[in-house]
Structures are given as C-alpha cells and as structure tokens.
Amino acid sequence: KGKEEGKEAGAAKDENGKDENGKDEKKAEMPKRPKRPKAPSPRTARDQVLGAIDGDSQVRVHAHSVADLRAAVEVALEHHLDLVVVGGLEADLIAETLADAEIPVILSIAGGGDEDRSLSQRWARLQDAGVEVALSSGGARGGHALLLLRAGELVAAGADSDEVWAALTTIPARLLGLSGKVGRLVSGATGSVVLFEGSSPFDASASFRSHIPK
C-alpha cells in the first residue's frame, strides 16, 4: 500500500519538480560564500629572491673569476637584478661587459691573481670602461688599516684623486643605500671627520687629526 501511494504522489508531480498545487519540492538554497585563500607563510629565502626580482633589494655577488663574473651578469640581465660585484679580481678583464650592464664593482685591495695586473692597472681598466668602482679592504685581517694606503698608491700611479676619494666615500654610501646619511660632509649626515695636513689625504707623510662623534 505504501509503494502504491508513493507512485501516485510521484505521478502528480510535473517535470519541473512541482506538485499539483504548484509548490517547489526543494527549497531554494543561497550560494555559499567562497573561502578566502590563506596568506602564504613567510619564508625568508623566498621573500629575498622575490624582492630582488621585483627590484626592491640589491643583490651582491662575491666573484673573482671571469667565468663566475659572466654567469652573474647573465643572471642579472635575465631577471633584471640590481647587481653589485664584490671582490672582482678579474673584473677588469670584462670591464666593457660590466659597464654595458651598468654593474658596479666593489674592488678589493687585497693582493692575488696575475702579477702583471696590479691594483692600479685593474683600477685603470675599470675606470676607462666607465665602471663605477668602490674600494674595500676585502675582508682581510687588518685590511681596513691599509685601505687609505692602497688608495694613495693608486693616486701615485696616476689615478684621479677625486675618483679615488669617491671610491672611498660617496660611491660605497650609495651602494649601501646610505647616500643621505654618510659619505658626504653635508647638513644632517653623520660620520667621522678627519682633518689632513699636507697636499691631500693621500700624502702618507702628512699628519692628521680626527674627530669621532659620540
């Protein structure tokens, strides 16, 4: 008897799911609100890479050989990286490539490499090609104490004193993103002030006085 009643009730409904009284069999359901995707979890290495590709951060590559330098330049050009070469023992051998890519070099004063290519010769080749060069101690023990001495040797070998001085002050400050704070004697900047006596700061025989701000 129950089966027969069910068949009769089913026969009374039309194709649209309505019974003989015109009522919907199913209640209208509201669409569900889509769930928001979860925010990606922070990952330092990934975020640094994405920031470099987006141009938000600088990429420094410690490289010496021509092969490593060329590989770094290719990656920088492919991904539009703000690249800076650190060390650059053989950077002068591809100076034109670096200049065309507008990649600066933080040149180490530490020795090494071909004896026929002195620091002054490497400096001259980079400058002639138009590469922006900063000077650094190279991380060698006590190298910072020799930095000004090596800079003086560059001037003695014929380098422009203004270019050498900029390689010790304004250029490093710019590469480190500190142009408005250090590297120049301007209002609002901070740093140590050294007063040199003699013809220039590169005169090794001249005495000097220093003032270190507290």
Side-chain angles (χ1 to χ4, degrees):
K1 186 178 180 180
K3 291 181 180 180
E4 291 178 356
E5 291 178 353
K7 290 180 180 179
E8 294 176 356
K13 296 177 182 177
D14 60 15
E15 296 179 354
N16 296 325
K18 296 182 179 181
D19 59 19
E20 57 186 358
N21 297 324
K23 296 181 180 179
D24 292 331
E25 181 184 15
K26 296 182 179 179
K27 294 181 179 179
E29 296 182 357
M30 293 294 290
K32 294 183 179 179
R33 185 186 298 270
K35 294 182 179 179
R36 290 182 178 273
K38 294 182 179 180
S41 58
R43 296 180 182 176
T44 303
R46 180 200 62 192
D47 294 343
Q48 288 178 342
V49 171
L50 294 177
I53 294 176
D54 291 340
D56 298 332
S57 58
Q58 183 188 87
V59 178
R60 298 181 198 136
V61 175
H62 194 278
H64 288 295
S65 68
V66 170
D68 290 343
L69 292 168
R70 289 191 184 279
V73 171
E74 290 178 2
V75 173
L77 294 177
E78 180 180 356
H79 298 287
H80 308 286
L81 303 179
D82 181 10
L83 182 69
V84 176
V85 170
V86 181
L89 187 61
E90 296 183 355
D92 58 295
L93 300 179
I94 59 167
E96 289 75 15
T97 301
L98 294 170
D100 292 341
E102 298 182 351
I103 297 176
V105 175
I106 301 178
L107 189 63
S108 171
I109 64 168
D114 193 344
E115 295 181 356
D116 295 332
R117 292 168 41 254
S118 63
L119 176 63
S120 60
Q121 291 172 326
R122 290 185 282 133
W123 165 274
R125 289 171 182 170
L126 290 170
Q127 291 292 330
D128 291 342
V131 179
E132 189 176 41
V133 181
L135 291 173
S136 77
S137 62
R141 185 175 182 180
H144 62 282
L146 299 175
L147 192 56
L148 193 59
L149 178 62
R150 294 289 180 265
E153 292 175 353
L154 289 177
V155 175
D160 184 271
S161 60
D162 290 339
E163 292 178 349
V164 175
W165 192 243
L168 294 170
T169 54
T170 55
I171 294 177
R174 188 191 68 77
L175 295 180
L176 292 172
L178 301 173
S179 297
K181 299 179 181 179
V182 298
R184 297 182 300 162
L185 292 177
V186 295
S187 177
T190 60
S192 302
V193 178
V194 181
L195 177 62
F196 293 89
E197 297 179 359
S199 59
S200 75
F202 307 110
D203 184 357
S205 63
S207 59
F208 64 89
R209 291 175 293 172
S210 63
H211 169 69
I212 302 176
K214 297 180 180 180

